[in-house]
């Protein structure tokens, strides 16, 4: 078993144990029981995904004696060093949220801009 | 300028985080100075009640959401790819979205100062229904929620990015059980963020719905429930204190091992205790709600006490690392020793107030203010300065002056303890937190006077640090790749590192690749 699978499996077991313990001690307090229940469910979901993902995870980093001929960076692909879209996505997010509170017109305009920026960012990241 | 606005490289983004958190740190420190100036004398009139509420709200908000937590994450942004031998983070553009959401969110919080009625004034916890009052206030509280909603989304995005990077982008030979403890602590922090921050984003959105869109989540007049706010907030709020300490545990571990010239003692114990702390911290949130009478005090007290065990493991391991090492008392090491001494006081007072009978007496007094400043200020902030002295040569290619650094440490350590130790006694004498003035009874005038003088000493120490930074950047004396004889991978590349970190990856056959050579 890979370390990350064990990590998420242990976290899920811990989440379940905590939620069950809370249920026995304080189930009349519904908010905490619901929060811990949701958390345990999220951790179980993550652990399940980790088990499935382990099958296709064959990493150089997991072999303690992996030779260095295949230097990292080559097979990881080329990394982008600049993009204008992230700061635009962040700015449009702020304007959309502010618009929702104070100005529906701004919310609509900034929301459309946000979708366009996310779309261009996605298209750009498909290239580099 | 454009180069920085559009940067996606993890080192540039890390520097953006570090510089912006230090800028927020200066503002939050000046606000702390205003608090101590107002409280220096009883019945002082420097600030009125409403101004004081804004000042302590912005001070706490900035230190927690805009300084201590994001500095840890920002430093991780810089260091994690270097420590595991990766060319960049897994998702560079997502990383850039994260940093800009953070910076814009922080500026939005402070934009409240320009609003009619002033900035947010409901404390860093912004309890509803207090934070839902719209009468007589302008947009300040709204901007606070909007800004921090962006900051919380930013933190979630960056945590996903860090986890994927750590799990999938390690260099050949860098197995999970060889990555440096700092990177492990960041992995635990990221898992914790993913559990704790969604409820925060949800509760902030709920308050905004109440304030603007006619909701009544927290309004008892319409069947809402204020206790619900406290549950959702503290389900985030307690884990947040570990988001603010786990990265700094990692920093201390790296610095202590380097300057003791010994590999980390109890490596596996360090890793497991980080995850034990993260896990347990998700089951203690209502120790902030003991006095509401609406929660199971025995459950939350018991789980809170348990956290002392993995934290004790860390202390044993740090001492074990130093034991019989050839210790060099550099500035970074001094800050780590200061961290241990201060954090011990913060931790032990924490165990005290985890006991409901004591908490009933201490709740909302200066005893609590003393406790959390010893953990966040005496703990995390000292490790933050340690990290700056330790990694400054790697990040900026120039070295800070050690003699000035030691003066900074001495002033901060003395000033910190003079400021916050008296607060324990103010609390025992019944002084309530968040009040803008107090009557001249008991020893309150004397204790507050000492605290304000201590704050002045800390201010001098902080100013000296920034003088040190300016002087170092002006001197421009280049540094070798490994000025401290560190053991982890980041010390095997140039200072500052090239664009994709390593021209040629060194062989990794142990936890101390730089000492294997
Ligand atoms: Cu707590």
């Amino acid at each position: 078993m890979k370390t990350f699978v064990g990590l998420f499996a242990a976290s899920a077991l811990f989440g379940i144990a905590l939620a069950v313990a809370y249920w026995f001690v304080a189930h009349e307090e519904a908010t905490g029981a619901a929060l811990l229940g949701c958390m345990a469910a999220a951790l179980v979901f993550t652990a399940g995904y980790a088990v499935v993902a382990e099958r296709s995870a064959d990493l150089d980093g997991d072999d303690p004696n992996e030779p260095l001929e295949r230097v990292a960076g080559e097979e990881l692909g080329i990394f982008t060093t600049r993009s204008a879209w992230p700061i635009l996505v962040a700015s449009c997010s702020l304007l959309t949220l502010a618009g929702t509170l104070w100005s529906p017109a701004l919310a609509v305009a900034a929301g459309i801009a946000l979708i366009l920026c996310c779309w261009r960012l996605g298209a750009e990241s498909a290239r580099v | 300028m454009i180069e920085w606005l559009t940067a996606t490289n993890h080192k540039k983004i890390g520097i953006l985080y570090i510089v912006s958190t230090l800028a927020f740190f200066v503002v939050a420190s000046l606000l702390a100075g205003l608090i101590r100036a107002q409280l220096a004398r009883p019945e002082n009139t420097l600030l009125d009640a409403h101004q004081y509420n804004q000042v302590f709200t912005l001070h706490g908000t900035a230190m927690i959401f805009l300084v201590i937590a994001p500095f840890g994450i920002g430093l991780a942004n810089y260091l994690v790819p270097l420590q595991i031998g990766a060319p960049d983070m897994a998702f560079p553009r997502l990383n850039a979205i994260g940093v800009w959401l953070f910076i814009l969110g922080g500026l939005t919080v402070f934009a409240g100062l320009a609003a009619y009625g002033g900035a947010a004034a409901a404390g860093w916890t912004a309890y509803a229904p207090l934070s839902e009052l719209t009468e007589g206030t302008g947009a300040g509280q709204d901007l606070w929620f909007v800004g921090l909603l962006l900051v919380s989304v930013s933190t979630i995005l960056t945590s996903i990015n860090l986890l994927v990077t750590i799990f999938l982008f390690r260099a050949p030979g860098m197995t999970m059980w060889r990555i440096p403890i700092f990177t492990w602590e960041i992995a635990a922090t990221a898992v914790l963020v993913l559990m704790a921050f969604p409820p925060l984003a949800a509760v902030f959105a709920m308050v905004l719905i109440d304030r603007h869109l006619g909701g009544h989540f927290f309004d008892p007049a319409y069947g809402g429930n204020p206790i619900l706010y406290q549950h959702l907030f503290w389900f985030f709020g307690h884990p947040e204190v570990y988001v603010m300490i786990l990265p700094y545990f990692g920093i201390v571990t790296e610095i202590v091992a380097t300057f003791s010239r010994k590999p980390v003692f109890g490596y596996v114990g360090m890793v497991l205790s980080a995850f034990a702390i993260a896990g347990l911290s998700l089951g203690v949130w209502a120790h902030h709600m003991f006095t509401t009478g609406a929660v199971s005090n025995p459950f939350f007290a018991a789980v809170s006490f348990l956290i002392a065990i993995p934290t004790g493991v860390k202390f044993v391991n740090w001492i074990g690392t130093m034991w019989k090492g050839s210790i060099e008392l550099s500035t970074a090491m001094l800050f780590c020793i200061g961290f241990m001494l201060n954090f011990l006081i913060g931790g032990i007072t924490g165990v005290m107030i985890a006991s409901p009978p004591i908490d009933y007496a201490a709740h909302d007094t200066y005893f609590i203010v003393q406790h959390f400043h010893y953990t966040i200020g005496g703990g995390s902030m000292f490790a933050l300065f340690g990290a700056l002295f330790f990694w400054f040569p790697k990040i900026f290619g120039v070295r800070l002056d050690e003699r000035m650094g030691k003066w900074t440490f001495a002033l901060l350590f003395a000033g910190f303890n003079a400021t916050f130790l008296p607060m324990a006694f103010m609390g025992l004498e019944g002084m309530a937190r968040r009040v803008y003035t107090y009557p001249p009874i008991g020893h309150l005038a004397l204790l507050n006077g000492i605290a304000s003088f201590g704050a002045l000493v800390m201010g001098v120490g902080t100013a000296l640090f920034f003088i040190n930074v300016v002087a170092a950047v002006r001197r421009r004396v280049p540094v070798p790749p490994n000025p401290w004889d560190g053991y982890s991978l980041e010390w095997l590349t140039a200072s500052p590192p090239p664009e994709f970190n390593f021209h040629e990856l060194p062989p990794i056959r142990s936890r101390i690749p730089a000492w294997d050579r």
Side-chain angles (χ1 to χ4, degrees):
Chain A
M1 190 167 60
K2 289 206 161 60
T3 307
F4 78 95
V5 182
L7 179 68
F8 282 120
S11 305
L13 287 177
F14 175 82
I16 294 169
L18 194 62
V20 169
Y22 192 77
W23 178 260
F24 274 110
V25 178
H27 58 86
E28 69 276 10
E29 196 282 291
T31 317
L35 279 169
L36 287 177
C38 289
M39 187 185 88
L43 285 168
V44 168
F45 176 82
T46 317
Y49 178 76
V51 170
V52 174
E54 185 183 14
R55 285 184 215 144
S56 53
D58 183 19
L59 300 173
D60 301 337
D62 286 336
D63 182 351
N65 297 308
E66 177 75 26
L68 277 170
E69 280 86 76
R70 294 186 290 160
V71 168
E74 287 182 350
E75 77 259 34
L76 289 174
I78 303 157
F79 280 79
T80 174
T81 55
R82 62 180 37 195
S83 168
W85 300 112
I87 190 171
L88 293 174
V89 168
S91 310
C92 291
S93 306
L94 172 60
L95 291 177
T96 309
L97 202 52
T100 310
L101 301 185
W102 292 296
S103 156
L106 176 64
V108 172
I112 291 170
L114 177 62
I115 293 167
L116 286 175
C117 288
C118 288
W119 173 51
R120 290 320 303 161
L121 185 144
E124 187 191 73
S125 78
R127 287 198 304 273
V128 190
Chain B
M1 182 72 178
I2 297 289
E3 187 194 335
W4 286 96
L5 293 176
T6 59
T8 58
N9 182 282
H10 76 98
K11 290 185 291 300
K12 286 223 165 89
I13 291 177
I15 290 171
L16 281 174
Y17 268 112
I18 290 167
V19 171
S20 55
T21 49
L22 286 180
F24 287 128
F25 173 73
V26 171
V27 177
S29 301
L30 293 173
L31 291 167
L34 269 181
I35 293 175
R36 282 323 313 170
Q38 163 67 16
L39 295 178
R41 285 189 290 121
E43 286 160 1
N44 203 355
T45 51
L46 178 68
L47 298 173
D48 66 31
H50 184 56
Q51 288 168 335
Y52 185 81
N53 288 351
Q54 295 173 53
V55 168
F56 80 72
T57 296
L58 288 179
H59 163 74
T61 304
M63 283 296 193
I64 287 167
F65 288 100
L66 308 179
V67 179
I68 300 293
F71 180 89
I73 287 169
L75 187 68
N77 235 302
Y78 193 98
L79 283 180
V80 163
L82 282 163
Q83 289 197 327
I84 63 174
D88 201 326
M89 294 274 276
F91 307 117
R93 289 182 186 82
L94 191 70
N95 209 10
I97 294 177
V99 74
W100 290 112
L101 282 175
F102 163 71
I103 292 174
L104 289 173
L107 293 175
T108 305
V109 169
F110 278 102
L113 282 169
Y116 165 73
W124 85 273
T125 54
Y127 271 13
L130 175 65
S131 59
E132 296 198 331
L133 297 177
T134 44
E135 216 161 293
T137 66
Q141 194 69 49
D142 289 311
L143 290 168
W144 189 92
F145 281 114
V146 168
L148 292 186
L149 195 53
L150 296 184
V151 171
S152 64
V153 172
S154 149
T155 315
I156 293 170
L157 296 179
T158 306
S159 294
I160 294 171
N161 209 345
L162 283 165
L163 272 183
V164 174
T165 307
I166 295 169
F167 286 145
L168 300 181
F169 277 55
R170 282 165 289 120
M174 181 60 83
T175 63
M176 282 302 277
W177 293 99
R178 284 178 184 166
I179 62 179
I181 293 292
F182 175 76
T183 296
W184 264 121
E185 301 277 352
I186 291 300
T189 308
V191 174
L192 193 52
V193 165
L194 295 184
M195 294 297 118
F197 273 66
L200 179 78
V203 76
F204 283 0
M206 286 159 86
V207 174
L208 287 175
I209 289 170
D210 274 13
R211 286 176 67 92
H212 284 271
L213 305 173
H216 298 286
F217 286 113
F218 309 116
D219 180 357
Y222 291 84
N225 185 353
I227 296 292
L228 176 64
Y229 180 94
Q230 297 190 24
H231 270 297
L232 291 170
F233 182 84
W234 287 114
F235 194 81
F236 144 82
H238 186 85
E240 167 77 347
V241 308
Y242 289 94
V243 171
M244 288 190 288
I245 199 69
L246 289 176
Y248 298 93
F249 283 166
I251 288 167
V252 170
T253 309
E254 304 294 326
I255 294 175
V256 165
T258 298
F259 291 111
S260 302
R261 307 276 169 249
K262 274 176 65 191
V264 176
F265 174 84
Y267 176 95
V268 176
M270 277 302 202
V271 175
L272 296 183
S273 61
F275 281 91
I277 290 172
L280 289 171
S281 79
L282 286 159
V284 301
W285 74 92
H287 63 206
H288 299 268
M289 299 162 63
F290 281 154
T291 57
T292 61
V295 297
S296 167
N297 289 3
F299 178 88
F300 289 104
V303 185
S304 303
F305 288 143
L306 282 179
I307 295 192
I309 298 171
T311 312
V313 168
K314 290 202 174 294
F315 268 88
V316 168
N317 285 346
W318 289 323
I319 295 167
T321 306
M322 289 163 74
W323 189 256
K324 291 190 176 172
S326 55
I327 294 172
E328 183 193 334
L329 288 178
S330 65
T331 307
M333 184 69 174
L334 285 174
F335 271 108
C336 290
I337 293 169
F339 166 96
M340 287 182 226
L341 296 171
N342 291 336
F343 191 78
L344 190 63
I345 296 177
I348 286 173
T349 49
V351 176
M352 290 166 70
I353 54 182
S355 167
I358 298 180
D359 186 67
Y360 267 77
H363 190 75
D364 271 349
T365 70
Y366 263 78
F367 194 83
I368 305 293
V369 180
Q370 170 270 145
H371 156 68
F372 68 73
H373 279 95
Y374 263 95
T375 59
I376 304 173
S380 304
M381 190 194 72
F382 271 64
L384 186 154
F385 277 105
L388 286 170
F389 277 94
F390 190 55
W391 280 294
F392 202 88
K394 179 56 63 186
I395 297 174
F396 297 103
V398 291
R399 213 172 172 148
L400 293 173
D401 183 68
E402 281 286 299
R403 230 164 66 109
M404 266 210 269
K406 283 172 188 167
W407 273 105
T408 302
F409 168 76
L411 289 166
L412 283 179
F413 189 77
F416 178 85
N417 281 287
T419 307
F420 293 102
L421 201 59
M423 290 189 186
F425 301 99
M426 294 175 204
L428 294 179
E429 292 197 12
M431 180 160 165
R433 67 191 281 202
R434 292 175 169 165
V435 291
Y436 80 109
T437 193
Y438 55 93
I441 50 174
H443 302 92
L444 290 187
L446 174 69
L447 292 168
N448 275 290
I450 298 171
S452 293
F453 177 73
L456 198 63
V457 176
M458 285 177 85
V460 175
T462 310
L464 189 62
F465 170 77
F466 285 102
I467 293 171
N468 199 345
V469 169
V470 173
V473 172
R474 279 200 174 167
R475 269 198 314 271
R476 281 182 191 279
V477 183
V479 286
N482 194 355
W484 312 114
D485 192 18
Y487 55 88
S488 46
L489 216 49
E490 77 265 31
W491 302 111
L492 286 178
T493 188
S495 308
E499 183 122 50
F500 294 117
N501 294 344
F502 298 93
H503 290 308
E504 196 181 319
L505 262 183
I508 301 151
R509 289 292 175 265
S510 75
R511 287 169 189 157
I512 44 170
W515 286 353
D516 284 343
R517 311 201 109 189

